[in-house]
Amino acid sequence: MSIRAAIKGVMGYVPEDILTNSDLEKLVDTNDEWIRTRTGIKERRILKKDGWASSDMGAEAVKGLLKKTNTDPSEIDLLICATVTADLVFPDNANTICDKLGINSAFGFDINAACSGFLYALTTGARFVESGTCKKVIVVGTDYMSSIIDYTDRATCVLFGDGAGAVLLEPTSEEVGIVDSSFGGDGSGRAFLHMKAGGSRRPATLETVMNREHFVYQEGRSVFKYAVRGMAESIGEVMGRNGLDEKKLNWVVPHQANLRIIQSVSKMVGVSPDRVMVNIHKYGNTTSGTLPLCLWDYENQLRKGDNLILVAFGGGFTWGATYVKWAYDGGDE
Ligand code: UT7
């Protein structure tokens, strides 16, 4: 019997401060109706705690996960952090989170695949478990998007929020766990979604700051089209390879970038809306946080053996879908 990596617990963290659509109406030329109908977002959480950064939100989620799963920090072998807003360009958030929580015998690293980051990190973590290299792996997605959002740009500032989520992976020989993935990439997509300065191509200068180049730049309409296609194709591939049809599929867990993207993809795949996880109305797009925050919100409805497809699309472009057979009854852990 081959060994798979099973998700044994999930935990989220969102900051308490809420930024509503009507708050945004006071900052830019927008309105609640446009935001709700074009994106599905009603409010988002914003990190305002003094001295906090993305690692602190990630550490909160991991701390809660350790407690909930009765796991001692010393048992963790590996921690992978998905983020585009690490506290520093280097070192990584993963080791910072371990340090903050006394996870002393683990190694760690960050993955930057934008909104697909959590999915890529999850699959990477699963490989370390399946190969027998690690017994307990934490995968955490955390993004402090409000630190890289221009609150004078109505095209982007209404979309994003802050948050984090984490899962614990462990080996299993049962018929559950992370089964299969299909991933895609297209670097030419970087033209449509990127940050103009702050990297080695264009390091920070007075000019880059004055030009407001340290914020998310997005050509939304183009990204929208690629996102629908990339997500629908990868779900189709994973379903086809694993003999899944819409009746056998219990849940689609989509990246939360736009409710219209989620609805288009679900329709193309033929899954009814009541089996598609949605929480974009309360959190907006938290980038690496969306997928674990969905699992966290819907955990009580999940049953052992449920067939889930997690699907994401993001900057890079990066995209993909992962088939997960859920490993426990929600509410029982
Ligand atoms: O997570 C990473 C991947 N990202 C995504 O998947 C995001 C994909 N894109 C989207 O979700 C959508 O394209 C957006 C929500 C970003 C924009 O929605 P859209 O329906 O594509 O709008 P648009 O960009 O085509 O703009 C339509 C109109 C424009 O006005 P005109 O040129 O028609 O007069 C915009 O200037 O809406 C205007 N507009 C706004 N109006 C009020 C753009 N942003 C706003 C705003 N409030 N916040």
Side-chain angles (χ1 to χ4, degrees):
M1 184 77 195
S2 64
I3 297 294
R4 278 200 195 135
I7 295 176
K8 288 303 188 80
V10 57
M11 181 55 80
Y13 171 82
V14 288
E16 60 198 32
D17 282 288
I18 293 174
L19 183 68
T20 64
N21 291 350
S22 61
D23 294 331
L24 284 161
E25 287 175 5
K26 292 171 198 125
L27 299 177
V28 288
D29 179 17
T30 190
N31 58 78
D32 175 57
E33 209 255 333
W34 190 96
I35 304 172
R36 273 189 296 101
T37 54
R38 306 308 292 171
T39 73
I41 303 167
K42 293 182 180 160
E43 58 187 42
R44 60 297 283 145
R45 301 301 179 99
I46 302 293
L47 180 63
K48 287 188 179 167
K49 280 196 176 193
D50 261 1
W52 275 45
S54 63
S55 75
D56 299 286
M57 291 194 295
E60 279 303 303
V62 174
K63 188 165 76 181
L65 179 68
L66 292 173
K67 188 164 177 239
K68 183 177 174 180
T69 56
N70 274 321
T71 308
D72 192 83
S74 63
E75 294 177 72
I76 303 301
D77 303 310
L78 164 64
L79 186 144
I80 307 177
C81 180
T83 187
V84 295
T85 52
D87 297 11
L88 301 167
V89 171
F90 76 92
D92 60 341
N93 261 8
N95 283 288
T96 303
I97 292 171
C98 288
D99 181 51
K100 285 179 173 166
L101 297 177
I103 299 175
N104 294 326
S105 46
F107 68 106
F109 53 88
D110 286 5
I111 284 186
N112 176 345
C115 296
S116 309
F118 183 81
L119 205 57
Y120 287 18
L122 183 70
T123 309
T124 306
R127 294 289 175 268
F128 279 93
V129 173
E130 291 157 7
S131 64
T133 313
C134 298
K135 286 261 181 295
K136 287 186 195 274
V137 173
I138 286 176
V139 179
V140 52
T142 181
D143 268 307
Y144 184 6
M145 294 307 292
S146 63
S147 70
I148 56 165
I149 291 300
D150 181 353
Y151 286 94
T152 66
D153 174 15
R154 71 174 183 174
T156 51
C157 75
V158 302
L159 303 174
F160 293 93
D162 302 330
V167 299
L168 175 67
L169 296 178
E170 283 179 15
T172 180
S173 50
E174 291 188 81
E175 283 293 317
V176 292
I178 290 153
V179 184
D180 189 22
S181 295
S182 164
F183 294 131
D186 179 358
S188 67
R190 69 189 184 282
F192 304 110
L193 183 50
H194 58 265
M195 186 189 287
K196 294 190 182 306
S200 61
R201 179 171 299 284
R202 198 160 160 73
T205 61
L206 189 56
E207 188 195 358
T208 63
V209 172
M210 298 302 283
N211 288 344
R212 311 186 75 79
E213 293 177 41
H214 295 269
F215 297 118
V216 171
Y217 169 83
Q218 176 170 249
E219 293 177 29
R221 211 177 297 185
S222 305
V223 180
F224 191 108
K225 280 186 229 143
Y226 281 101
V228 171
R229 195 173 64 203
M231 288 165 89
E233 277 177 11
S234 12
I235 296 179
E237 215 167 296
V238 167
M239 285 175 76
R241 272 210 302 254
N242 294 280
L244 287 171
D245 57 28
E246 55 287 354
K247 288 195 197 76
K248 289 186 193 147
L249 191 57
N250 300 95
W251 292 100
V252 173
V253 191
H255 171 55
Q256 309 282 304
N258 187 317
L259 186 59
R260 288 184 295 134
I261 295 179
I262 296 170
Q263 288 166 340
S264 303
V265 170
S266 317
K267 209 166 160 193
M268 285 163 84
V269 176
V271 178
S272 68
D274 59 330
R275 285 187 286 134
V276 180
M277 295 190 189
V278 174
N279 59 13
I280 189 169
H281 49 288
K282 13 183 219 175
Y283 305 140
N285 182 350
T286 55
T287 302
S288 307
T290 60
L291 296 179
L293 284 173
C294 273
L295 293 175
W296 182 49
D297 276 353
Y298 281 79
E299 186 186 21
N300 284 343
Q301 296 182 52
L302 296 173
R303 292 288 161 264
K304 187 172 181 178
D306 275 357
N307 293 313
L308 279 64
I309 289 190
L310 281 60
V311 60
F313 185 94
F317 291 139
T318 55
W319 67 88
T322 294
Y323 170 28
V324 175
K325 234 177 165 24
W326 197 249
Y328 61 93
D329 289 335
D332 278 5
E333 69 295 337

